[in-house]
Amino acid sequence: MLPANITPANGMLAALYLRQAELPAALDLIGERGLGAVGFGGEPPADLPCMLPRLEIAMPQRLPAEPLVEIWLGVSRATWGRTGAIHWACDGHHLFGSLQTDAEADIRGATARAYDALFRLLEQQGYPHLVRVWNYFPGINREESGLERYRQFNIGRQEAFLRANRPLSGALPAACALGTHAGPLVVYFVAARIPLIPVENPRQLSAYRYPPAYGPRSPSFSRATVLRSADQTAVFVSGTASILGHMSVHPGDAAAQTRETLMNLAALVETLNGGASGGFTWEDFRYKVYVRPGCPLEPIKYELAAMLPAAEAILIVEADICRRELLVEIEAFGSRSLGNPGEPM
Ligand code: 3EB
C-alpha cells in the first residue's frame, strides 16, 4: 500500500511525488489513472506503463536526496495517445500533455510552434481550457539575436495565443518558465473541459501587464488558476518569485528572496480563499522550489521550514530563474475534496 500521506482521494486530480521504492505499490493506480510522469535530472523509472506520457527535465534534484518522480493522476480511467510531437493522456475531465522540441537556436520560433500544436490539440480533443503550463528550456538568460531568450520565449508564446484567438489577459493559464542546463524546450500542461478561474496577486502586478522594460511582449500567465468541479477544487499556483509590483526585490539575497516569495504565496492563497475556493492552508499544497545553480541551499531551507509544512511536501531542483537577479522561485499544486467532513459547504 502507499503511505497514507500520498494516497490520492478517489475522483481527485492529484500530483504524487514517489520514490523509486514506492513505485511498485502505485503501479496499478498509475496504470488506471496515470496522466504523466516527470523526472528531474534523470529519466522517470522504466517500469511505468509504456503509453504514459513521460519526460525528463534537465534540472538536477537538490532535495530530497533520493530521486522522486512526479506522477499526475486523473479522476478516472485514463486514455493515452500521441498527436504529432505531443504525448497526451486524458480522463474525461482533464488532458495532460507533453512535448519536446529542439531549442538551441530560435527559442521564439520553437515556442510559437509548440504552442500552436498545443492549442490545436486542445481544440481537437475537446479540452479547450489551458489551466497550467510548465516551460523549460536551456539558456533562458542568454542573449539571442540581441534579446534575452526568456523575452524571445514571451514573444513566441504571445504570438501563438493571438493566432489561436485566445485572450492575452484574464483567463490565462498558471505557468512557470525556467532554464535547464541543456536539452530541448520541454513543455507540459494540464487542460480542462471546464473553464478555469484565474487568481491574481494583490502584491504583484499581473504579469500580462508588465511594462515593456521586461520585454517587448508581456508573459501570458495568471498567478494561479482554480478548477472547481462538483466534488473538488484544484489550485495551480504559478512559479512565484521575489517580485513586488513588477520589480525584483532583494537581489543577491537568497534568504530574503525566499521570505518575500513566501509572503507572495501567502497573499495569493488568502486571495483565492476569499474568492472561488475557501479553506486552503499551507498543508493543502505540494511545493516545487527552483534554486539557481551555485546558490547555497541552507538559508533557503531555513526560510522554507519557518513557513511551509513538513519537508516531505517540498521538492527542490536546480534551475535558472527567468530574471538574472532572481535566485529562487516556488510553485505549488493542491486540491481539496468538497465532500470532506468538517469542511464548510
Ligand atoms: C514572474 O513573476 C517571475 O513566463 O510563464 C513566473 C511564472 C515567472 C511564470 C512565465 C514567469 C512565468 O514574472 C517569472
Side-chain angles (χ1 to χ4, degrees):
M1 273 303 290
L2 288 166
N5 62 326
I6 57 169
T7 304
N10 262 336
M12 296 260 282
L13 184 67
L16 306 182
Y17 290 83
L18 299 181
R19 293 181 285 119
Q20 181 75 48
E22 292 168 326
L23 207 58
L27 278 181
D28 285 348
L29 189 60
I30 297 168
E32 190 183 316
R33 283 168 53 194
L35 296 177
V38 188
F40 298 90
E43 279 274 337
D47 44 357
L48 291 164
C50 64
M51 282 294 287
L52 187 71
R54 45 185 294 132
L55 53 159
E56 179 200 338
I57 317 293
M59 291 181 178
Q61 185 177 315
R62 300 281 299 267
L63 275 177
E66 241 187 300
L68 299 181
V69 55
E70 176 183 300
I71 304 277
W72 284 89
L73 293 181
V75 299
S76 52
R77 181 163 286 283
T79 50
W80 302 323
R82 195 187 145 181
T83 304
I86 307 183
H87 291 264
W88 52 266
C90 56
D91 68 359
H93 300 270
H94 313 94
L95 182 138
F96 176 99
S98 73
L99 72 95
Q100 307 190 27
T101 180
D102 177 68
E104 269 315 311
D106 191 18
I107 185 64
R108 170 182 170 176
T111 303
R113 287 188 295 276
Y115 275 80
D116 285 344
L118 185 165
F119 288 137
R120 263 198 313 275
L121 179 80
L122 301 195
E123 299 301 331
Q124 278 165 10
Q125 295 297 323
Y127 295 81
H129 304 286
L130 184 59
V131 178
R132 176 57 159 112
V133 192
W134 290 262
N135 303 282
Y136 300 126
F137 56 94
I140 193 167
N141 301 130
R142 191 169 82 213
E143 295 251 320
E144 186 188 289
S145 313
L147 192 67
E148 191 184 39
R149 272 160 64 87
Y150 173 61
R151 298 177 180 202
Q152 299 276 15
F153 160 87
N154 277 319
I155 300 174
R157 174 168 58 179
Q158 199 187 91
E159 285 172 342
F161 272 74
L162 282 170
R163 262 197 297 276
N165 290 313
R166 287 176 175 258
L168 297 184
S169 63
L172 290 169
C176 59
L178 293 127
T180 55
H181 58 78
L185 165 68
V186 179
V187 176
Y188 70 100
F189 56 93
V190 174
R193 289 208 196 276
I194 60 167
L196 59 89
I197 304 162
V199 181
E200 289 301 300
N201 194 322
R203 302 181 90 237
Q204 299 187 300
L205 184 67
S206 294
Y208 48 78
R209 299 200 203 288
Y210 280 167
Y214 299 97
R217 301 291 192 90
S218 58
S220 305
F221 73 95
S222 297
R223 296 300 178 186
T225 54
V226 176
L227 268 188
R228 214 179 169 179
S229 63
D231 25 62
Q232 71 155 339
T233 303
V235 177
F236 298 84
V237 177
S238 289
T240 303
S242 182
I243 295 175
L244 260 185
H246 57 75
M247 298 204 347
S248 306
V249 290
H250 318 299
D253 185 342
Q257 286 195 14
T258 306
R259 284 194 299 273
E260 198 70 48
T261 301
L262 291 167
M263 286 192 270
N264 281 338
L265 289 173
L268 189 65
V269 172
E270 195 178 314
T271 305
L272 71 91
N273 280 336
S277 43
F280 276 82
T281 68
W282 292 113
E283 280 74 27
D284 290 313
F285 294 97
R286 285 282 329 203
Y287 303 86
K288 201 187 292 172
V289 180
Y290 303 93
V291 175
R292 192 175 283 279
C295 188
L297 221 48
E298 280 311 315
I300 297 171
K301 272 170 61 181
Y302 179 86
E303 300 299 336
L304 293 175
M307 284 282 262
L308 297 186
E312 298 89 75
I314 307 174
L315 169 65
I316 305 185
V317 299
E318 198 171 284
D320 293 328
I321 321 297
C322 64
R323 293 184 186 183
R324 275 170 235 259
E325 66 278 13
L326 293 176
L327 304 170
V328 184
E329 183 170 311
I330 305 177
E331 66 179 44
F333 171 77
S335 57
R336 280 166 66 91
S337 150
L338 298 180
N340 273 350
E343 196 178 318
M345 294 298 281

